[in-house]
Amino acid sequence: MLMQGEGQGAPAPMTDSFGRIVDYVRIALTEACNLRCTYCLREGAGEDAPSGGKLDKAELETIMRVLGGVGVRKIRFTGGEPLLRRELPELVAFAKRSAGIRNVKLTTNGVLLERRIRELLDAGLDGVNLSLDTLDAGRFSTITRREGFDKVRRALDLLLGMPEFPVKLNVLMLRGINQDELPAFVELTRESGITVRFMELQPFDDHQIWRTGRFMGAEMIREHLMRAFPGIEPATGTDTEHYSFRVPGYRGSVAIIPAYSRNFCSSCSRLRITADGRLVSCLYRDGSIPLRPLLAGESAEAELARTIAEAVRLKPQDGLKSRGGNSVQSMSQIGG
Ligand code: SAM
C-alpha cells in the first residue's frame, strides 16, 4: 500500500537493524524553560549551556531538510520550552515545506501559547501536546515553582475550543500531589475530542523524586482511573499510549503512558536531537553524536545524512535492558 506522499517521490523511511521504521524526530529547541517543575529541573538548572549554545535557525533548517531527505515524516519541537524560541513559527513553516516531512507538532508548557497560537497555526502546525499537571492555581505554583497558571489555563481553553486541531494534554501523575485530580482531567474529555494522557515519572529528575514514594506507576494510575470511571472502555491509542480508554458518551479519550514500568523499545520509531545539536538514538543509552561539526563541512548535507543513517543502524534493540546507566539529569536536556 502506498503511503501518502510516497507516490510523489518522498524517500522511504529508514529502518534499523531490527526492522523498526525510524521516521520520527524530536528536536529540542532550547534547554531553557520558563517553569521549574520539581520533578524536572533544579531551581538553578535549565539554562542553555554557555559553551556550544543551541543550534541556530540556519543549522536547524539544514538538519530538518536532511531529515526529510532520509525519510523522516514527523517532527516534534520540544525542549526546554520551545516557545522561548522566537523563530518557532518560522521553524514550523520550514519543516512543513521540507520534502518528506508531513507532520509537525509541538510539546509545550503553554505559558506563551495563547499569544503565539495564531502564528503557529498559520505556519501549518499539526498539533499540540500541552503539559499541565494540575487544574489548581496554587498547586501549579508549587509544582512548577513559577506563576503562570492563568496563562496556561487560557491556552488550554483555547485548544479545547478547536475541535479539528489534534490536542493532547500531558499530565504527569505523582502520588499525593495530583492524583486526586484524575477525575477532573478525565472530565475534560466529555465535551472535547482531546486525549488526556496520564504519564508515569521517568527516572530522570534532578531531585530523584522517583525514589521518594511520589512515583505513581502506570498500573496504579489505571486502578485509580477504573475506580473513578468503572464504565470506562478500552479505545485505540498510539504506540506509546499503552492503555487507551474512552468514557462512554465522552468525545475525547484517556491514555496512560508508562515510562520505566514498561518497555516500548520494540516499537520505537524515534530519534532525538538535543538543543546543542547532539543526535540521540536511544533515551536509555548514554552516548550521542554531535551534529554541529558536520554542519561546517563542504558536503554538510551528505555527511549529516550518512551520520543519521548510521545512528539509526546502531539503535539498540532494547535500550532498557542494555542500559549501563543513563546520565540524563532532566527531560529538558534530552527533549522530553
Ligand atoms: N517545556 C515543554 C513542556 O512542558 O511540555 C517541553 C519539554 S518537557 C521536558 C516535556 C514533557 O516532559 C512534559 O510533559 C513534562 O511533564 C515531561 N517530563 C519532565 N520530566 C519528566 C520526568 N522525569 N518523567 C516524565 N516526564 C517528564
Side-chain angles (χ1 to χ4, degrees):
M1 189 178 72
L2 273 185
M3 296 188 60
Q4 185 200 346
E6 270 169 4
Q8 297 141 33
M14 296 175 285
T15 306
D16 72 7
S17 331
F18 307 99
R20 293 171 298 197
I21 286 176
V22 179
D23 61 356
Y24 174 23
V25 178
R26 291 183 171 220
I27 302 180
L29 293 180
T30 174
E31 273 190 32
C33 192
N34 42 3
L35 299 180
R36 283 292 178 282
C37 298
T38 44
Y39 54 79
C40 188
L41 284 172
R42 272 174 293 122
E43 183 57 75
E47 301 309 329
D48 285 309
S51 61
K54 51 187 182 283
L55 292 172
D56 66 25
K57 182 164 164 274
E59 289 171 322
L60 286 161
E61 289 177 351
T62 304
I63 289 172
M64 290 194 285
R65 193 163 43 237
V66 172
L67 290 173
V70 295
V72 168
R73 305 234 156 102
K74 177 172 171 189
I75 285 185
R76 175 175 297 282
F77 291 117
T78 177
E81 174 46 45
L83 277 161
L84 290 176
R85 290 286 298 254
R86 288 195 170 285
E87 325 92 309
L88 182 61
E90 292 158 56
L91 293 169
V92 169
F94 185 91
K96 288 292 289 185
R97 283 198 307 272
S98 300
I101 295 174
R102 299 192 194 125
N103 189 289
V104 180
K105 292 193 173 166
L106 172 70
T107 298
T108 174
N109 61 33
V111 175
L112 300 172
L113 188 59
E114 189 188 16
R115 58 173 134 127
R116 308 296 301 277
I117 188 78
R118 191 66 259 162
E119 287 171 89
L120 292 165
L121 294 174
D122 289 347
L125 189 71
D126 292 299
V128 167
N129 284 13
L130 180 70
S131 306
L132 179 63
D133 303 328
T134 177
L135 297 171
D136 176 86
R139 272 192 193 172
F140 180 90
S141 318
T142 309
I143 295 171
T144 67
R145 301 203 200 91
R146 293 289 184 272
E147 299 307 314
F149 175 78
D150 292 347
K151 289 182 183 158
V152 184
R153 182 67 227 214
R154 283 202 301 273
L156 172 61
D157 289 340
L158 197 80
L159 295 172
L160 292 173
M162 295 167 50
E164 303 305 322
F165 189 64
V167 175
K168 296 189 176 187
L169 187 64
N170 288 343
V171 184
L172 190 93
M173 290 304 278
L174 291 170
R175 243 164 114 166
I177 306 272
N178 61 351
Q179 75 192 55
D180 58 332
E181 293 192 59
L182 182 144
F185 276 112
V186 174
E187 281 305 324
L188 294 175
T189 69
R190 185 193 285 265
E191 301 293 340
S192 152
I194 66 165
T195 304
V196 169
R197 311 194 315 164
F198 296 114
M199 306 197 311
E200 186 182 280
L201 186 74
Q202 293 263 10
F204 313 143
D205 66 296
D206 271 350
H207 291 285
Q208 297 286 286
I209 285 182
W210 66 287
R211 292 183 193 273
T212 64
R214 298 292 191 197
F215 179 81
M216 200 167 161
E219 283 308 321
M220 197 187 285
I221 300 173
R222 194 178 68 87
E223 283 162 23
H224 273 263
L225 184 62
M226 293 309 194
R227 216 171 299 135
F229 296 88
I232 202 163
E233 290 172 351
T236 312
T238 65
D239 274 351
T240 50
E241 293 167 0
H242 179 49
Y243 293 114
S244 193
F245 301 99
R246 191 180 293 271
V247 179
Y250 286 21
R251 295 185 56 208
S253 58
V254 178
I256 300 175
I257 315 281
Y260 214 48
S261 69
R262 195 182 146 89
N263 185 340
F264 286 115
C265 300
S266 63
S267 60
C268 180
S269 61
R270 302 173 180 183
L271 297 174
R272 289 178 156 83
I273 295 177
T274 64
D276 59 355
R278 286 172 295 113
L279 179 66
V280 178
S281 66
C282 173
L283 185 59
Y284 298 104
R285 267 264 182 101
D286 260 347
S288 58
I289 305 171
L291 298 181
R292 193 172 245 151
L294 308 176
L295 292 167
E298 261 180 26
S299 44
E301 298 203 6
E303 267 298 290
L304 261 179
R306 196 191 56 71
T307 304
I308 293 165
E310 182 65 2
V312 166
R313 200 181 64 75
L314 294 176
K315 239 173 115 60
Q317 183 174 21
D318 185 327
L320 271 173
K321 251 190 213 145
S322 63
R323 79 182 184 282
N326 185 308
S327 62
V328 174
Q329 280 174 309
S330 163
M331 290 293 274
S332 70
Q333 291 177 314
I334 202 161

